[in-house]
Amino acid sequence: MTAVLTGIGGFLPPRAVTNDDLSRTLETSDEWIRTRTGIRERRMVSDGLSTGSLAVEAGARAMRSAGVSGVDSVVVATTSPERLCPAVAPEVASRLGLGTVAAFDLTSACSGFLYGLATAAGLIDSGTADTVLFIGSEAFTTLVNQEDRATAPIFGDGAGAVVLRRGEPDEPGALGPFDLGSDGALADLLAIPAGGSRQRSADAGLGHGTVPTPDWYLRMEGRPLYTQAVERMTQSALTVLKRADWPVADVDWFAGHQANLRIVRAVAEEMELPEERVAVNIDRVGNTLAASVPLLLNDYAARGALRPGQRVLLSAFGAGLSWGSTVLVWPDIQAEPVN
């Protein structure tokens, strides 16, 4: 038996922030952002919305898509938790009326959806759960310095969710083999220095000295990250295709993490995959980290571009450094358009 995708949902906060909006406070322009990232607008949390509330909305839609009112476990992938302790997943489960089911968070930044799929599949494969609600949810713009021209234009907020059930390996929606990897030696290429046990604020009464304000926000080394992302996603994607015995020519859609349009296109080019088979929505949502891939899948399924029986390759890369890939044949499920 294996994990089978049986429902999908997504949610975006209503506040849209365009490149022109950003250029009013940053030394940048719509053209500069679009030519370097492919992004023209992104959604940002406001009015009390947070990682948990986004997750609840996306999770409810995924459960409606799957036609279920309950699951055995809830897993939330996020790099922008509501707070350092406790995890947000139990609260999400409670707000969804799921009672006292097992619930926990995992953190793997932009590759969180792939790591989370593998984790949820493990719960099912081991017999621990028959059904899992897995959600990638991020309010990451709250951790980005909105005065930093290098990072502020890139990120957006949102949540994407899937319901997985126990099923047969050869049925549509069954998750294929996984490839996961990491390189912690390069962790500082993309990191938020402060907030954890390594670097705390004197305001907390811990006596470690005052943390410089910039250390509370994301730091990114763009050039080496680009090289790593293209190399790691390409290798991972090709590895999982080989394990699944899928020729590249058989892939109908490449659903890669939406970090940067140039990265996604470069990976497809390295695999010799035609551009018309590359799924893209970064122009409207930006980089939503763990929510990126499920939001992309929900978008294409909701508008009929992703159809039952099509072969889909998923791949992502993020902080850690970490990366992962898997494949599936798209099932016959309904997806609601995000707001």
Side-chain angles (χ1 to χ4, degrees):
M1 306 298 287
T2 193
V4 177
L5 191 152
T6 187
I8 191 166
F11 181 74
L12 294 170
R15 180 189 172 204
V17 179
T18 67
N19 293 343
D20 287 334
D21 292 332
L22 291 179
S23 67
R24 295 188 184 102
T25 56
L26 286 174
E27 187 181 343
T28 188
S29 68
D30 174 64
E31 181 183 10
W32 191 92
I33 297 169
R34 281 189 296 103
T35 55
R36 286 161 177 78
T37 68
I39 301 167
R40 56 181 173 85
E41 71 174 35
R42 71 287 296 145
R43 300 294 186 92
M44 297 177 67
V45 292
S46 60
D47 301 325
L49 291 176
S50 60
T51 297
S53 52
L54 299 178
V56 168
E57 291 290 343
R61 294 182 182 196
M63 292 175 64
R64 282 201 297 270
S65 171
V68 299
S69 58
V71 295
D72 299 320
S73 183
V74 176
V75 182
V76 175
T78 185
T79 312
S80 49
E82 300 259 316
R83 42 195 174 175
L84 289 179
C85 179
V88 73
E91 185 177 352
V92 170
S94 176
R95 292 175 62 182
L96 286 170
L98 299 176
T100 58
V101 299
F104 63 94
D105 292 359
L106 65 84
T107 300
S108 196
C110 298
S111 59
F113 187 70
L114 270 300
Y115 270 77
L117 281 181
T119 301
L123 292 173
I124 290 173
D125 292 344
S126 68
T128 303
D130 288 328
T131 55
V132 178
L133 172 62
F134 170 50
I135 308 168
S137 185
E138 303 283 4
F140 195 73
T141 62
T142 61
L143 304 179
V144 174
N145 184 352
Q146 295 303 316
E147 297 179 357
D148 180 6
R149 181 172 178 257
T151 58
I154 296 174
F155 296 94
D157 301 326
V162 294
V163 175
L164 302 172
R165 61 166 174 81
R166 184 181 301 275
E168 300 291 339
D170 58 351
E171 66 177 296
L175 300 181
F178 283 88
D179 175 75
L180 303 173
S182 72
D183 185 356
L186 300 176
D188 287 342
L189 291 181
L190 189 63
I192 299 173
S197 61
R198 182 181 298 187
Q199 189 175 9
R200 297 294 294 260
S201 169
D203 294 337
L206 301 178
H208 297 311
T210 300
V211 175
T213 299
D215 285 3
W216 293 101
Y217 296 107
L218 181 72
R219 291 182 180 178
M220 182 178 70
E221 298 290 338
R223 290 184 183 275
L225 275 174
Y226 175 90
T227 302
Q228 286 289 320
V230 174
E231 177 183 346
R232 300 301 189 179
M233 284 178 68
T234 301
Q235 290 176 347
S236 181
L238 291 175
T239 295
V240 85
L241 287 176
K242 183 177 181 180
R243 290 175 182 171
D245 196 24
W246 285 15
V248 173
D250 286 357
V251 174
D252 294 298
W253 286 110
F254 170 49
H257 166 57
Q258 305 290 287
N260 182 300
L261 183 57
R262 293 191 297 177
I263 290 175
V264 176
R265 286 178 172 170
V267 172
E269 185 176 342
E270 288 289 326
M271 291 192 296
E272 299 183 355
L273 190 65
E275 187 173 326
E276 60 268 21
R277 299 186 189 179
V278 179
V280 173
N281 72 343
I282 191 173
D283 57 317
R284 292 175 285 114
V285 299
N287 180 348
T288 56
L289 289 87
S292 168
V293 174
L295 280 171
L296 179 65
L297 294 173
N298 188 89
D299 181 15
Y300 272 61
R303 54 193 176 91
L306 179 53
R307 300 186 300 275
Q310 291 186 320
R311 293 189 171 193
V312 186
L313 167 64
L314 313 180
S315 187
F317 171 91
L321 301 175
S322 59
W323 55 87
S325 301
T326 192
V327 296
L328 76 158
V329 175
W330 194 251
D332 187 6
I333 58 177
Q334 299 299 312
E336 301 177 31
V338 296
N339 58 323

